[in-house]
């Protein structure tokens, strides 16, 4: 898989959320729900991880606990084909949630609205077609304000075959002020992203509640993304890191999923134990744990 997949961190409401989203969005499905067994940290049968598609695009989810809450700094921009689709999505997503910008006509769109749903995830609905139905949207505010363009340049330099498709700037208020990015569109692997700066005084920033999952085929690929993306940021456990702008990533070899979800629970358990001790994922060590007699 060459997409970069949004990874959502829930706290016990993961199954309810996944069923809600796949019911609300067209061309959506639950691909797999992996549940805890007997003796796990949560009740037997509770969903641990989930894979699902919204509008044909992949999402991953984890029942990770209360450590993180979703932030509007990373939202999802949805291109809606018709006014009816926009209204239907808005009605469902706004129920029990919080409206940031009312759905209606704006200077930049015939119909647009920004809402945080009842689970805390933020969505920007826009009447207009696009190459990609749902785009991860990075809002640089607070400490990383006026760094959106720097981030776009950094990310597209980090990923091979990445492309900057559009950069639209605001005008500097005074001489010497750095122009901020009003709209940026860029592609990493097969995934389109959007980014902008906001000088408003917001009480949120990037956090690990939504991370970007990068699948790697080789250890060299794991090493390169791990070291490059974490430079100036913070390395964490189990392949997680935060980059210098505060955005969270997971750098994960494709082999890990095959070993964790094999038909042999003892071998998979050893792989899980090995992974939990790692920062950067070591493919050979995972395989050795699996192959251990």
């Amino acid at each position: 898989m060459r997409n970069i997949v949004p990874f959502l961190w829930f706290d016990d409401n993961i199954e309810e959320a996944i069923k809600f989203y796949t019911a609300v969005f067209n061309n959506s499905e639950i691909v797999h729900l992996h549940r805890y067994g007997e003796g796990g940290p949560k009740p037997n049968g509770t969903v641990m991880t989930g894979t699902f598609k919204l509008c044909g695009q992949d999402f991953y989810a984890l029942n990770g606990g209360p450590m993180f809450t979703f932030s509007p700094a990373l939202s999802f921009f949805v291109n809606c084909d018709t006014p009816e689709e926009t209204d239907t999505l808005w009605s469902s997503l706004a129920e029990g949630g919080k409206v940031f910008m009312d759905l209606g006509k704006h200077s930049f769109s015939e119909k647009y609205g920004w809402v945080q749903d009842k689970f805390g995830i933020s969505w920007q609905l826009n009447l207009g077609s696009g190459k990609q139905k749902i785009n991860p949207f990075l809002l640089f505010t607070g400490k990383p304000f006026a760094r959106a363009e720097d981030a776009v340049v950094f990310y597209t330099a980090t990923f091979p075959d990445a492309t900057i498709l559009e950069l639209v700037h605001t005008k500097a208020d005074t001489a010497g002020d750095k122009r901020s990015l009003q709209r940026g569109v860029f592609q990493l692997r097969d995934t389109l992203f959007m980014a902008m700066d906001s000088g408003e005084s917001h009480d949120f920033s990037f956090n690990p509640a939504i991370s970007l999952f990068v699948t790697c085929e080789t250890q060299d690929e794991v090493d390169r993304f791990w070291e490059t993306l974490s430079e100036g940021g913070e390395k964490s456990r189990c392949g997680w890191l935060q980059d210098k702008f505060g955005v969270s990533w997971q750098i994960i070899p494709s082999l890990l999923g095959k070993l964790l979800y094999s038909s042999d629970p003892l071998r998979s358990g050893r792989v899980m134990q090995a992974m939990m001790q790692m920062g950067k994922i070591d493919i050979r060590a995972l395989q050795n744990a699996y192959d251990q007699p």
Side-chain angles (χ1 to χ4, degrees), residues 101-237:
M101 292 183 67
D102 288 324
L103 181 66
K105 185 173 182 178
H106 297 269
S107 60
F108 52 86
S109 174
E110 283 297 312
K111 199 162 198 175
Y112 167 90
W114 185 13
V115 64
Q116 185 178 63
D117 68 34
K118 60 185 177 182
F119 298 103
I121 296 179
S122 297
W123 306 86
Q124 299 183 58
L125 306 186
N126 181 64
L127 177 59
S129 60
K131 181 180 177 182
Q132 185 171 292
K133 186 72 174 180
I134 302 176
N135 303 267
F137 190 105
L138 307 176
L139 183 67
F140 292 77
T141 185
K143 186 176 180 179
F145 170 67
R147 300 192 70 194
E149 183 172 1
D150 293 341
V152 171
V153 171
F154 173 66
Y155 297 146
T156 52
T158 299
F159 286 85
D161 302 321
T163 305
I164 298 176
L165 300 173
E166 183 181 18
L167 294 176
V168 178
H169 300 90
T170 59
K171 294 181 179 179
D173 293 331
T174 59
D177 283 352
K178 185 175 182 179
R179 294 183 307 166
S180 60
L181 190 63
Q182 187 175 41
R183 174 183 167 88
V185 182
F186 59 104
Q187 182 169 330
L188 306 179
R189 291 188 168 178
D190 295 330
T191 304
L192 288 178
F193 290 80
M194 302 175 71
M196 69 171 290
D197 287 302
S198 174
E200 299 291 332
S201 179
H202 296 298
D203 60 352
F204 55 78
S205 59
F206 298 119
N207 70 48
I210 301 180
S211 57
L212 301 172
F213 191 100
V214 180
T215 302
C216 301
E217 298 304 323
T218 67
Q219 189 66 51
D220 286 345
E221 199 174 17
V222 170
D223 295 347
R224 182 169 60 81
F225 283 127
W226 179 260
E227 297 302 332
T228 303
L229 287 170
S230 66
E231 185 176 357
E234 183 177 350
K235 297 173 181 177
S236 188
R237 307 293 297 172

Side-chain angles (χ1 to χ4, degrees), residues 8 21 34 40 52 83 105 131 165 210 224 243 247 265 276:
L8 313 177
Y21 296 132
H34 183 72
F52 59 104
K105 185 173 182 178
K131 181 180 177 182
L165 300 173
I210 301 180
R224 182 169 60 81
D243 66 29
V247 178
M276 294 299 291

Side-chain angles (χ1 to χ4, degrees), residues 56-122:
Q57 295 172 219
D58 293 294
F59 285 78
Y60 298 154
L62 170 70
N63 188 1
M67 289 76 79
F68 308 114
T69 55
F70 295 115
S71 165
L74 206 167
S75 62
F76 297 102
F77 190 97
V78 183
N79 291 300
C80 300
D81 296 325
T82 65
E84 292 75 20
E85 180 188 12
T86 314
D87 291 341
T88 299
L89 278 174
W90 180 266
S91 177
S92 297
L93 294 171
E95 185 176 358
K98 177 181 179 182
V99 174
F100 295 128
M101 292 183 67
D102 288 324
L103 181 66
K105 185 173 182 178
H106 297 269
S107 60
F108 52 86
S109 174
E110 283 297 312
K111 199 162 198 175
Y112 167 90
W114 185 13
V115 64
Q116 185 178 63
D117 68 34
K118 60 185 177 182
F119 298 103
I121 296 179
S122 297

